[in-house]
Amino acid sequence: NAGVTQTPKFQVLKTGQSMTLQCAQDMNHEYMSWYRQDPGMGLRLIHYSVGAGITDQGEVPNGYNVSRSTTEDFPLRLLSAAPSQTSVYFCASSYSGALNTIYFGEGSWLTVV
Amino acid sequence: DAKTTQPTSMDCAEGRAANLPCNHSTISGNEYVYWYRQIHSQGPQYIIHGLKNNETNEMASLIITEDRKSSTLILPHATLRDTAVYYCIVRVRGGAQKLVFGQGTRLTINP
């Protein structure tokens, strides 16, 4: 049981490049989500999914796309990277329903130059 | 989800109890109080949650006032490994993954 796994852990992109941050969980969780954390700030929700085939926007969705083709995977795509997207990205997952503790991955550090 | 207010930073001596306050005066009747912590450069870690009764687990205790407008997270015997940023979050039970993080309290445990 690996929990929530994110790759890559570190990435440097040039402005305008696109890339995908991968997130996988092996706990059969229905809910998955992506947060970003800027220096000295709390986490902010980008996108989330309540199950395979269903996604929705969070607080800061612009510049990001997601899809949920399987229960296990929830990739985050940066369409055209901008310096403002330099941040640490965290993927999270949980069961649906009551008492749903949310488990976080270890983070992906992204720098856009 | 209701907004929370926490002190920016706190210090505590190793071995002593660390008491972290949180104000959530606009909390609704169906909102739970959750606590997470984030140790440097790691993903947030769940600590405890509660609705209106005091709760205790292997990591901490949560004391919620009778009017539910504030709560206190208690780490009974703080260790150096408890140095982290602690987030108090209120959210609807069973709600989608819409945790709203404030800036949290940076707790430093001193030897």
Side-chain angles (χ1 to χ4, degrees):
Chain A
N1 187 335
V4 180
T5 304
Q6 294 182 230
T7 56
K9 192 168 182 67
F10 300 98
Q11 182 71 50
V12 178
L13 283 179
K14 293 183 178 179
T15 297
Q17 285 185 318
S18 62
M19 77 155 298
T20 299
L21 298 177
Q22 301 290 346
C23 177
Q25 52 89 12
D26 60 357
M27 298 173 281
N28 203 32
H29 286 168
E30 295 92 347
Y31 287 171
M32 295 187 74
S33 56
W34 278 101
Y35 291 82
R36 62 176 286 175
Q37 184 174 33
D38 299 321
M41 306 291 290
L43 281 70
R44 292 184 293 169
L45 182 65
I46 304 172
H47 285 286
Y48 66 97
S49 169
V50 300
I54 305 170
T55 64
D56 207 345
Q57 296 182 349
E59 180 186 357
V60 288
N62 292 338
Y64 307 95
N65 272 359
V66 292
S67 60
R68 186 92 181 273
S69 56
T70 67
T71 300
E72 295 78 17
D73 301 299
F74 191 45
L76 178 72
R77 298 183 185 84
L78 281 71
L79 308 173
S80 178
S84 61
Q85 294 179 300
T86 294
S87 190
V88 184
Y89 291 84
F90 291 98
C91 180
S93 73
S94 76
Y95 290 114
S96 61
L99 303 178
N100 47 349
T101 298
I102 297 175
Y103 298 89
F104 287 83
E106 290 302 308
S108 295
W109 274 252
L110 176 66
T111 300
V112 182
V113 298
Chain B
D1 291 337
K3 182 176 179 178
T4 61
T5 304
Q6 299 176 252
T8 303
S9 63
M10 295 182 63
D11 286 86
C12 179
E14 187 178 18
R16 304 296 295 268
N19 297 288
L20 290 87
C22 179
N23 181 288
H24 32 80
S25 57
T26 59
I27 193 170
S28 301
N30 62 345
E31 289 183 314
Y32 280 66
V33 179
Y34 279 74
W35 283 83
Y36 281 76
R37 73 180 183 183
Q38 188 175 23
I39 297 171
H40 180 64
S41 300
Q42 298 181 17
Q45 176 190 25
Y46 167 80
I47 301 172
I48 198 168
H49 74 279
L51 182 62
K52 56 182 179 181
N53 298 317
N54 298 338
E55 302 287 345
T56 296
N57 63 20
E58 65 278 4
M59 291 182 67
S61 294
L62 175 61
I63 308 298
I64 302 174
T65 59
E66 190 169 347
D67 63 8
R68 302 209 324 122
K69 293 184 177 182
S70 65
S71 60
T72 300
L73 177 74
I74 300 173
L75 308 178
H77 305 286
T79 71
L80 298 179
R81 288 175 295 180
D82 292 321
T83 293
V85 177
Y86 288 76
Y87 296 99
C88 170
I89 300 165
V90 294
R91 61 188 286 244
V92 175
R93 171 176 171 162
Q97 294 197 357
K98 293 183 178 180
L99 294 181
V100 179
F101 287 81
Q103 292 192 329
T105 296
R106 182 171 297 277
L107 176 67
T108 302
I109 306 301
N110 300 308

